């Protein structure tokens, strides 16, 4: 017990310390103006690429804008831009400047999840709590069963996992990767299709949020065995849950006076907006510091925002700049760390396809069966299974952590990236096939 206490104190005390490896000595370093020059150029390239690829994905692939933006991030990385024009890519996106881009990416995805939280229908959660719990538990349990079956085989392939990793840690990490749902991606697809205030949209978002939190907690457990200590686990699970409960219970009461002012004036003042943004930053910081992720801090605060004119004004002021300017940085940063050329040999490609098929069946199939057993009709259950199977760039985040911490090798990293891209691209068309078009046909006037 003393060891856990000492580890927790050490973990909390080091939250604001530097956590990266020391940079090698360089003959010249970047000045502040150098970061600024690169940042504006990077942002221009990112916005233009997202616009072009997003339009192409919508026009020719039938994908929502968000999937096009994810592809645009990969296009800007070493898989295409860096492969075809390595010198140009290195000049536009030098490694030394990526930390600035990372910070902007976290602001973008965090604010977007905050806005998604303001649209969550709590009444739908209450009416669908049984279904959401069933879908969430199935979406976690089945992937971990598949991970138990796959891990012994993958451990025998050199270079997939770290040489010193235990079977338990490898299983937990792979299970977390398969169980993960691309929460920001899922939310964006649901919003773009006008499902945010529907029972299906709320159920899927709620189940997806639970699955992602569970995956991050498992990741914290794995990282603890790689030198982080038990304090990492205690802080992640205990601190994250405590903050979420505090915000959801006390947030609506504390924010109600601000909501009354907005309703009285018919608009939100800059001072009120600054207060809301300060609370968002605090919530994101605390969740990030706990070891969960900043996006959950934003989402939880968004859920606690009083509905009505207050929430509508927040969305009116923040949504355009968040979606158009900030969020594409998130996709670009993740794409810069993605290499799809690692899966080269036929054997490795077959393994990658096997991991992909098992992941789809485990996550999508389990969520479909759970929704059916919870009383949802067949078409709704199929739609839930299709959406929950999307993994997107949240998957890229977790596998990047695994690669950086030495849990997995570059080859398994590439396989999991491939799984993330394919499951995300298939989510929209599959959902439209099994649910979307049938619902529109049934509700259209004769």
């Amino acid at each position: 017990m003393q060891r856990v206490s000492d580890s927790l104190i050490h973990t909390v005390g080091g939250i604001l310390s530097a956590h990266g490896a020391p940079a090698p000595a360089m003959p010249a370093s970047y000045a502040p103006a150098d970061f600024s020059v690169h940042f504006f150029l990077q942002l221009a390239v990112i916005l233009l690429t997202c616009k072009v690829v997003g339009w192409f994905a919508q026009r020719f692939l039938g994908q929502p804008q968000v999937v096009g933006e994810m592809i645009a991030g990969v296009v800007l990385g070493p898989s295409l831009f860096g492969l075809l024009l390595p010198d140009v890519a290195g000049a536009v996106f030098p490694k030394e400047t990526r930390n600035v881009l990372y910070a902007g990416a976290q602001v973008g995805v965090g604010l977007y999840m905050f806005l998604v939280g303001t649209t969550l229908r709590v009444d739908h959660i209450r009416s669908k709590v049984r279904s959401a719990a069933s879908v969430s538990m199935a979406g976690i349990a089945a992937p971990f069963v598949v991970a138990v079956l796959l891990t012994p085989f993958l451990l025998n392939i050199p270079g997939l996992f770290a040489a010193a990793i235990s079977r338990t840690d490898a299983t937990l990490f792979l299970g977390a990767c398969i169980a993960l749902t691309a929460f920001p991606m899922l939310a964006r697809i649901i919003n773009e299709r006008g499902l945010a205030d529907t029972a299906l949209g709320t159920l899927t978002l709620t189940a997806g949020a639970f699955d992602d939190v569970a995956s991050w907690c498992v990741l914290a457990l794995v990282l603890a065995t790689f030198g982080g200590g038990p304090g990492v686990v205690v802080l992640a699970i205990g601190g994250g849950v405590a903050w979420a409960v505090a915000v959801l219970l006390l947030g609506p009461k504390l924010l109600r006076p601000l909501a009354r002012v907005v309703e009285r004036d018919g608009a939100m003042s800059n001072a009120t907006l600054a207060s809301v943004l300060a609370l968002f930053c605090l919530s994101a910081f605390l969740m990030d510091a706990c070891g969960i992720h900043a996006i959950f801090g934003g989402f939880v605060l968004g859920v606690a925002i009083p509905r009505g004119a207050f929430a509508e004004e927040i969305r009116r002021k923040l949504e355009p700049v968040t979606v158009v300017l900030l969020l594409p940085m998130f996709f670009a940063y993740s794409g810069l760390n993605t290499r799809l050329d690692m899966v080269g040999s036929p054997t490795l490609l077959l393994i990658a396809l096997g991991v992909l098929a098992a992941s789809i069946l485990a996550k999508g199939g389990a969520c479909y069966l759970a929704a059916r057993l919870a009383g949802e009709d067949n078409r709704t259950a199929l739609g839930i299974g299709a959406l929950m199977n999307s993994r997107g760039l949240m998957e890229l985040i977790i596998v990047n952590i695994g690669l950086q911490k030495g849990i997995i090798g570059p080859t398994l990293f590439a396989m999991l990236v491939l799984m993330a891209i394919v499951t995300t691209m298939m989510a929209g068309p599959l959902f439209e096939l099994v649910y979307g078009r049938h619902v529109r046909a049934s509700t259209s006037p004769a």
Side-chain angles (χ1 to χ4, degrees), residues 178-260:
I178 298 175
L180 197 71
T181 294
F183 196 38
M185 193 74 68
L186 178 66
R188 189 85 181 269
I189 292 173
I190 287 174
N191 274 0
E192 287 187 355
R193 294 179 182 271
L195 299 171
D197 60 348
T198 66
L200 179 142
T202 301
L203 187 156
T204 308
L205 279 175
T206 304
F210 289 153
D211 283 5
D212 273 12
V213 170
S215 293
W216 284 106
C217 289
V218 170
L219 177 63
L221 181 62
V222 174
L223 291 177
T225 66
F226 274 74
V232 174
V233 182
V234 174
L235 183 62
I237 299 176
V241 170
W243 177 248
V245 170
V247 170
L248 293 176
L249 291 180
L250 301 178
K253 296 178 182 178
L254 296 176
L255 291 167
R256 199 158 289 133
L258 290 177
R260 284 197 289 265

Side-chain angles (χ1 to χ4, degrees), residues 238-439:
V241 170
W243 177 248
V245 170
V247 170
L248 293 176
L249 291 180
L250 301 178
K253 296 178 182 178
L254 296 176
L255 291 167
R256 199 158 289 133
L258 290 177
R260 284 197 289 265
V261 171
V262 172
E263 291 172 357
R264 182 196 65 199
D265 297 342
M268 178 178 290
S269 67
N270 289 339
T272 300
L273 180 62
S275 300
V276 171
L277 288 174
L279 290 173
F280 157 76
C281 291
L282 176 63
S283 185
F285 159 74
L286 289 173
M287 277 294 192
D288 226 359
C290 285
I292 303 297
H293 200 280
I295 65 168
F296 293 108
F299 178 73
V300 167
L301 181 65
V303 174
I305 292 291
R307 299 304 187 258
F310 190 47
E312 292 171 4
E313 276 291 289
I314 289 174
R315 290 194 295 270
R316 185 180 68 83
K317 287 180 174 291
L318 295 180
E319 191 166 17
V321 69
T322 298
V323 172
V324 176
L325 179 65
L326 299 177
L327 192 58
M329 282 191 283
F330 170 68
F331 297 104
Y333 179 82
S334 297
L336 289 173
N337 294 309
T338 302
R339 290 190 60 181
L340 298 180
D341 59 342
M342 297 300 297
V343 186
S345 70
T347 301
L348 291 177
L349 182 58
L350 284 175
I351 294 173
L353 293 176
V355 171
L356 171 64
S359 301
I360 292 172
L361 291 174
K363 184 73 177 182
C367 291
Y368 162 76
L369 291 175
R372 287 291 288 150
L373 291 174
E376 300 296 331
D377 63 84
N378 185 61
R379 199 160 298 285
T380 299
L382 286 171
I384 291 170
L387 290 176
M388 289 291 289
N389 211 17
S390 171
R391 289 171 179 85
L393 291 178
M394 285 302 291
E395 179 83 1
L396 298 186
I397 291 175
I398 200 170
V399 298
N400 268 288
I401 293 173
L403 184 66
Q404 293 163 8
K405 298 295 183 180
I407 299 172
I408 61 175
T411 305
L412 183 55
F413 174 82
M415 292 179 181
L416 295 174
V417 168
L418 179 65
M419 183 255 285
I421 293 175
V422 173
T423 56
T424 304
M425 290 190 67
M426 66 182 285
L430 185 59
F431 175 78
E432 185 68 16
L433 176 66
V434 301
Y435 182 86
R437 66 182 187 182
H438 297 277
V439 172

Side-chain angles (χ1 to χ4, degrees), residues 1-14 228-232:
M1 191 65 186
Q2 181 64 36
R3 180 172 175 270
V4 174
S5 177
D6 293 343
S7 177
L8 180 60
I9 292 173
H10 176 75
T11 301
V12 174
V232 174

